[in-house]
């Protein structure tokens, strides 16, 4: 890999840490973003100098977060990974989650929380549901 | 804790897993959301039946993601944690990150990526920057 590629990969990882993503998972994501074709775990291990188990955990986390896609290779045990190009699906999933968390907080505000905690949940719920509607508006355009 | 409280805590954690948050960290966040006052690590450990080190890592992750706040107690070594009520700050930080990732992807699309990877980065960048602008619009209201 070139110095610029490595720099991009590390930069992506650093920016994703505040979203709760482990640095290594972010590096695997950054690597996948630069690839034009799905990559095997062995390839990821080699390029990023990771252990196979670390790479495997990272790839699984990316698939769970819908940032990467898993490809089974026909008549082979090999599995390939690629960065998702359905970034709007990413945000669609984000919107569904915002709505679910918003609804959960709204219900909990009356049922399980009291005082300041109840008010905080109601305020957060209102805010998250508004954000959700707005993002959905962007996606429909 | 009541059954409803535990249910809420587990539900919050489950909804946050797809955003890349470990289940235990999500449970600590759910617990903090229900509290009207900042809680000590010992209290979190006891209520959620966690080890002190797990609770400590979880609390730190929440502070890093800006979902929780850390309170030092004057003339004591105790540290307390509370769920943030500045949820708009949460999204303000989200917007800054969206902008940074968008900019990084836009630059990388020309400098370090080629072909399909370059196009994907450009598309993602455009989309993320648009989402950012829209969310900022909601927050200014």
């Amino acid at each position: 890999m070139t110095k610029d590629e490595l720099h991009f990969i590390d930069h992506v990882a650093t920016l994703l840490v505040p979203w709760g993503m482990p640095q290594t998972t972010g590096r695997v994501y950054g690597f996948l973003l630069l690839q034009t074709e799905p990559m095997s775990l062995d390839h990821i291990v080699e390029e990023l100098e990771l252990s196979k188990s670390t790479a495997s955990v990272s790839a699984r986390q990316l698939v769970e977060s819908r940032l990467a896609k898993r490809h089974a290779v026909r008549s082979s045990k090999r599995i390939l990974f690629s960065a998702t190009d359905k970034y709007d699906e990413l945000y669609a999933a984000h919107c569904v989650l915002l709505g679910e968390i918003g609804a959960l907080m709204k219900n909990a505000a009356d049922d399980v929380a009291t005082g300041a905690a109840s008010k905080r949940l109601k305020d957060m719920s209102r805010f998250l549901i508004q954000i959700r509607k707005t993002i959905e508006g962007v996606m429909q355009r």
Side-chain angles (χ1 to χ4, degrees), chain A:
Chain A
M1 274 196 286
T2 67
K3 211 175 129 190
D4 280 351
E5 285 170 332
L6 275 175
H7 181 75
F8 171 78
I9 288 168
D10 287 333
H11 199 164
V12 165
T14 303
L15 286 177
L16 291 174
V17 166
W19 311 59
M21 184 178 289
Q23 184 88 17
T24 309
T25 308
R27 292 189 75 230
V28 173
Y29 180 55
F31 174 73
L32 291 178
L33 277 175
L34 294 180
Q35 310 310 314
T36 52
E37 288 182 13
M39 286 286 137
S40 70
L41 217 48
D42 286 340
H43 205 110
I44 295 170
V45 161
E46 196 188 311
E47 292 280 357
L48 297 179
E49 297 177 5
L50 301 173
S51 73
K52 188 135 185 180
S53 64
T54 303
S56 171
V57 168
S58 298
R60 197 170 58 229
Q61 281 180 325
L62 290 175
V63 172
E64 277 169 8
S65 326
R66 306 199 192 204
L67 288 168
K69 234 184 110 173
R70 195 176 178 283
H71 310 256
V73 182
R74 206 174 292 205
S75 67
S76 149
K77 279 189 183 170
R78 281 217 310 167
I79 294 163
L80 304 178
F81 295 93
S82 65
T84 183
D85 50 5
K86 310 222 165 147
Y87 42 87
D88 50 343
E89 273 184 17
L90 257 175
Y91 253 87
H94 183 93
C95 279
V96 170
L97 286 166
L98 278 179
E100 283 175 353
I101 293 180
L104 172 66
M105 286 181 167
K106 197 177 162 201
N107 295 335
D110 293 324
D111 297 342
V112 290
T114 57
S118 173
K119 186 182 177 309
R120 182 174 55 211
L121 286 170
K122 269 185 200 153
D123 288 347
M124 285 185 81
S125 161
R126 218 174 291 130
F127 181 77
L128 294 178
I129 289 168
Q130 198 185 2
I131 293 278
R132 177 199 172 154
K133 279 188 193 151
T134 315
I135 296 178
E136 282 176 343
V138 175
M139 293 196 307
Q140 275 157 16
R141 263 181 253 157

